[in-house]
Amino acid sequence: MTDVDPADFPSRFRMALSQIGRDSIEPQWPSASWLSVVRRAIVLTAVFAAGLLAGDLSTAIFAAFGALQMGLLEAALTRTALARLLIVNIVALTLTVYIAASLGGTWWTVPLLGFIALVQGSNVASGLLPMSTSLGALIICVIFAGLPDAAAVAPTAAAWFAAGASLQSVVWLLTATAERARTVRRILANNIRSVQRLLRGGAVNGWQSHTASLNSQATSRVLTGSGLPENVRAAAEEVVIATSALHRSVVAWRVLKDPGWADRLRIDEALHRLVQVLDESLGRRRKVDFDRPQFASRTWACDTALEESLGQLQQAVSDLLAGTGPADRRAVETSPTPAGQSLLAALRVTVRAVRPSNKLFRHGVRLALAVMIAQTLALQLEVGHSFWIPLTVIFVVKPDWSFTLVRSTSRFVGNLGAVILIPLVLAAAGGANWAVIATLLAISLVAFRYFTGNYTAASFGIAGTILILDQVLSPSDSLYRWRIVATLIGTAIGLLVAIAVPSWSSRGIAEEVATLAAGLDTWSRSVFTGLLQPAQVAATELRKQGGELRSQLLDLVPRAAATLAEPWPKRDPRLVSAAVEAAQRMHLILTALAFHSTQLHAHDRPGLPVSPAASHVALALDGACSALGSAPPPSWVAPEVAPRVGAEEGQREAPGCGQYPMTAEDTAVVAQTTHVAQAADDFLSAVTYLDTPIAPRATPTAGIGPHDV
């Protein structure tokens, strides 16, 4: 183990910018297809344009808010299930609009918003509408409680809101079958895109690899609840299975062989063609023939495996488009998917979540407190359009501290862009009705497209849409200037309350790192056993152990990044991040080595001489478990290399000689085991000093210091 001094680490600020930017806020691809986005935007704009041209602005804008709300829902369901989801939304939100408007401008809105915020904040990942993505009752309540003369128009506002929401829902139901098919194809295409991302850049990113696995699991869950015909769902699941197999092949190919840019580009282009035919393509679905890419060299086992998995994916996509499926079905290697909940069961889940034992309850309290403070300030200021302060708080405050910081920045950037751009566009057009309608159409396209993808773009689209509706309803020369001030005030309130009622990511993180260390210790032993004696370890067991560790890392990576931004961490967050980063490296390389061990077994080749690295890794991870206060797995000695039994009885040859010489691929695998050993040493070094008191960073001096040797 290389001795390290925590004082030699980079500053927390520098590590936070690097880690959060690289691992935590990478935008995902939107799940809405362009045809679906256009449908939603046209309905919203048509409702608004009808009122604007007829001179009945108030009712049209109330209806437009309903169309906006329902347009932000995302679901791939049967027509019956979708209708139920939409009806529940319309009834609940219409009631919310009526109550909020009836109490608008009074102090009763403060406890009302606090109650809704507590319930919604405690039900971030569950509740009545776990499959929907929407602004929700809280934001609708904030908007309608802040409208001028809200109490006088409460019945009208509720009725026209319901009309706009119903119109958007009816149009959706009319196109439900086609939209569901397009949504499923787009989700499958996004899953392939996550594997495509692994082919780009100078090195494989461990977080991107974990995200690709998570995307496959999420895609399988969507398919389970989609209600597609059995043959179509089976064909779609085959695409998920083939994508997962390709993901493992790509990781092994890139880690072990480190292929050149030209070979990577060939695979990237082949995947791009698959994405094209799946995603936004129109016209009749038919079987598609794909040409397999030609590698510069095809001498390694991972080359063959990659070619085979790519061919399986191409065949699966072609079968899906042609409406045919394979004769035999395989199990999708994902987490079990829970059965759909009834409305009554979902209501029970919602109620049970509002209790201190729920880990999200603190977030509910924090959100409620921040919204109540913001609403109190909005009432005190007595400035028109002041609902933007609590609205900003809702968008900013998130369960995770670093996510709150990121959302604060994204929200401000998106708002600022809308406040600057929209007035310029409308002023250039002289405020003409056609310009307002065209601007609303364009900005709503952005909102609907990127609401589940890029948060900055989504903030820009939603803020811009609400700005236009609000300005037309209650014209004000100070609207745009006040929006910037209100955004700053709401962001400040959200950050201050997040600090006052903390939910720090560092709480309990040492125990989770200890669990991760024990899991890595066990899995690395299995992988090395598979390399030494290929016939002794089952591929399914290796994948299962790796999947469990991947789930832990998916939780730990963003949490470790969040600790870097905490004001008063209990442990040095730089060491926490260093330990988790080393674990990611180990997991990525071990994934490739596990893949190679299955190839050794499949091609009946002997084991590889990796005993020294295996013993080194086991020793380092045992030490890490001890340093973290957890019991390491039982003592382990790396087994002997299993030679190949020849055709004649008793004829045995060790690897590296005779009929089975060490190939270039075998040499690369052995070399990668030393990289696992280095990552294990880095992990041990970081966790050894995890409880060291945080000291100020030493000022660098000229010359070579003792830690530079």
Side-chain angles (χ1 to χ4, degrees):
M1 181 186 77
T2 304
D3 193 23
V4 299
D5 187 342
D8 289 339
F9 272 68
S11 67
R12 286 176 57 195
F13 177 75
R14 183 176 178 183
M15 289 186 70
L17 287 180
S18 173
Q19 191 85 337
I20 292 175
R22 183 184 65 189
D23 293 335
S24 300
I25 59 173
E26 190 171 64
Q28 294 301 307
W29 297 276
S31 57
S33 67
W34 272 116
L35 286 177
S36 177
V37 167
V38 169
R39 181 264 301 169
R40 307 174 206 192
I42 287 176
V43 172
L44 169 63
T45 308
V47 169
F48 174 77
L52 184 63
L53 297 177
D56 191 3
L57 287 176
S58 295
T59 55
I61 289 175
F62 295 150
F65 272 115
L68 172 65
Q69 169 64 28
M70 302 310 292
L72 291 170
L73 290 173
E74 295 287 354
L77 302 169
T78 62
R79 198 185 302 272
T80 302
L82 179 61
R84 185 183 68 172
L85 175 67
L86 296 174
I87 291 172
V88 170
N89 267 276
I90 293 171
V91 172
L93 293 173
T94 301
L95 182 62
T96 300
V97 168
Y98 180 77
I99 295 174
S102 298
L103 300 176
T106 70
W107 290 101
W108 287 107
T109 57
V110 176
L112 174 65
L113 290 175
F115 172 75
I116 297 177
L118 177 64
V119 174
Q120 283 207 346
S122 301
N123 284 276
V124 170
S126 61
L128 277 173
L129 305 173
M131 292 187 64
S132 67
T133 304
S134 65
L135 283 177
L138 180 57
I139 291 178
I140 289 297
C141 188
V142 165
I143 292 173
F144 279 85
L147 292 177
D149 303 320
V153 298
T156 303
W160 282 104
F161 177 91
S166 299
L167 178 61
Q168 186 75 271
S169 301
V170 168
V171 177
W172 188 357
L173 287 171
L174 291 175
T175 61
T177 302
E179 284 204 22
R180 178 182 61 174
R182 282 194 295 269
T183 298
V184 167
R185 291 198 302 271
R186 177 159 181 82
I187 293 173
L188 292 172
N190 287 344
N191 195 26
I192 296 175
R193 285 188 176 103
S194 66
V195 177
Q196 244 186 311
R197 184 181 277 169
L198 298 174
L199 295 164
R200 299 165 184 173
V204 183
N205 184 303
W207 176 251
Q208 291 175 349
S209 177
H210 300 328
T211 304
S213 298
L214 187 65
N215 285 343
S216 290
Q217 294 181 8
T219 302
S220 182
R221 286 193 292 270
V222 170
L223 293 176
T224 300
S226 65
L228 288 168
E230 181 59 29
N231 63 320
V232 178
R233 187 171 68 86
E237 286 183 349
E238 286 296 328
V239 176
V240 178
I241 295 170
T243 304
S244 298
L246 179 67
H247 168 215
R248 292 191 295 270
S249 299
V250 167
V251 169
W253 189 57
R254 289 221 57 187
V255 171
L256 299 179
K257 188 176 182 180
D258 190 19
W261 174 76
D263 276 351
R264 286 189 282 119
L265 193 60
R266 291 184 180 96
I267 303 298
D268 191 10
E269 182 62 29
L271 295 182
H272 179 66
R273 288 195 293 271
L274 290 174
V275 167
Q276 280 185 314
V277 298
L278 272 175
D279 196 0
E280 304 287 354
S281 56
L282 301 175
R284 184 180 179 183
R285 298 289 151 189
R286 57 185 177 80
K287 195 175 185 68
V288 181
D289 294 324
F290 299 97
D291 295 326
R292 296 191 179 185
Q294 298 297 317
F295 298 123
S297 63
R298 196 184 287 108
T299 58
W300 291 34
C302 59
D303 290 326
T304 304
L306 177 62
E307 187 177 29
E308 290 176 354
S309 59
L310 178 59
Q312 290 169 1
L313 178 59
Q314 291 173 332
Q315 184 62 50
V317 170
S318 183
D319 289 343
L320 174 66
L321 298 181
T324 60
D328 60 323
R329 292 296 322 283
R330 293 165 288 172
V332 182
E333 295 177 4
T334 58
S335 301
T337 303
Q341 292 181 320
S342 66
L343 286 177
L344 184 59
L347 181 60
R348 292 195 189 100
V349 171
T350 302
V351 174
R352 283 198 299 265
V354 189
R355 58 180 63 182
S357 58
N358 178 15
K359 65 179 181 180
L360 289 172
F361 179 76
R362 180 180 285 264
H363 170 61
V365 172
R366 180 169 54 246
L367 181 60
L369 181 60
V371 168
M372 292 170 70
I373 293 174
Q375 180 66 6
T376 301
L377 185 59
L379 292 173
Q380 286 283 7
L381 289 177
E382 296 183 354
V383 178
H385 316 278
S386 58
F387 69 81
W388 204 260
I389 298 176
L391 196 64
T392 299
V393 166
I394 296 168
F395 277 105
V396 165
V397 177
K398 298 300 170 185
D400 184 81
W401 165 250
S402 69
F403 208 20
T404 296
L405 289 178
V406 170
R407 285 295 170 94
S408 300
T409 305
S410 299
R411 169 72 171 167
F412 182 74
V413 171
N415 269 11
L416 186 63
V419 169
I420 292 174
L421 183 61
I422 290 175
L424 291 177
V425 173
L426 296 181
N433 286 345
W434 68 265
V436 177
I437 295 172
T439 304
L440 179 63
L441 176 62
I443 207 78
S444 62
L445 286 172
V446 176
F448 292 136
R449 174 68 171 183
Y450 295 104
F451 188 68
T452 57
N454 188 304
Y455 190 75
T456 301
S459 295
F460 171 79
I462 294 172
T465 302
I466 297 176
L467 271 174
I468 294 173
L469 297 178
D470 194 23
Q471 173 68 0
V472 173
L473 181 63
S474 305
S476 172
D477 294 334
S478 63
L479 172 65
Y480 302 108
R481 182 173 63 254
W482 171 244
R483 281 291 181 263
I484 298 177
V485 176
T487 299
L488 288 172
I489 294 173
T491 299
I493 292 173
L495 292 176
L496 290 174
V497 172
I499 294 175
V501 187
S503 182
W504 304 129
S505 296
S506 59
R507 182 173 300 170
I509 199 168
E511 291 75 13
E512 292 195 30
V513 173
T515 303
L516 178 67
L520 282 171
D521 203 352
T522 301
W523 189 42
S524 64
R525 294 178 182 187
S526 298
V527 172
F528 278 112
T529 299
L531 291 175
L532 290 161
Q533 298 182 340
Q536 299 302 313
V537 180
T540 53
E541 182 63 25
L542 289 179
R543 286 200 291 270
K544 178 183 176 182
Q545 292 177 0
E548 292 171 352
L549 289 170
R550 182 174 55 246
S551 298
Q552 294 180 47
L553 284 168
L554 282 167
D555 176 63
L556 271 175
V557 169
R559 287 188 60 195
T563 62
L564 291 165
E566 289 183 10
W568 308 283
K570 294 182 178 180
R571 293 178 172 84
D572 194 330
R574 299 171 301 169
L575 296 177
V576 173
S577 294
V580 173
E581 188 277 333
Q584 273 202 105
R585 276 188 284 140
M586 273 190 285
H587 188 278
L588 186 69
I589 301 172
L590 286 171
T591 299
L593 297 180
F595 179 86
H596 188 74
S597 72
T598 63
Q599 295 300 306
L600 290 175
H601 182 43
H603 294 86
D604 199 24
R605 289 192 58 84
L608 301 178
V610 295
S611 296
S615 300
H616 186 108
V617 171
L619 184 63
L621 292 177
D622 286 350
C625 290
S626 300
L628 290 165
S630 65
S635 180
W636 179 77
V637 177
E640 295 294 328
V641 183
R644 169 71 183 271
V645 178
E648 297 180 9
E649 182 67 26
Q651 179 186 353
R652 302 172 66 83
E653 289 190 1
C657 61
Q659 185 180 355
Y660 301 100
M662 288 280 287
T663 64
E665 187 171 13
D666 292 337
T667 303
V669 169
V670 174
Q672 287 297 331
T673 62
T674 64
H675 295 164
V676 177
Q678 179 60 56
D681 280 346
D682 293 343
F683 184 82
L684 174 58
S685 297
V687 300
T688 298
Y689 292 94
L690 204 56
D691 289 321
T692 303
I694 302 175
R697 190 180 178 210
T699 303
T701 57
I704 299 178
H707 299 289
D708 297 320
V709 178

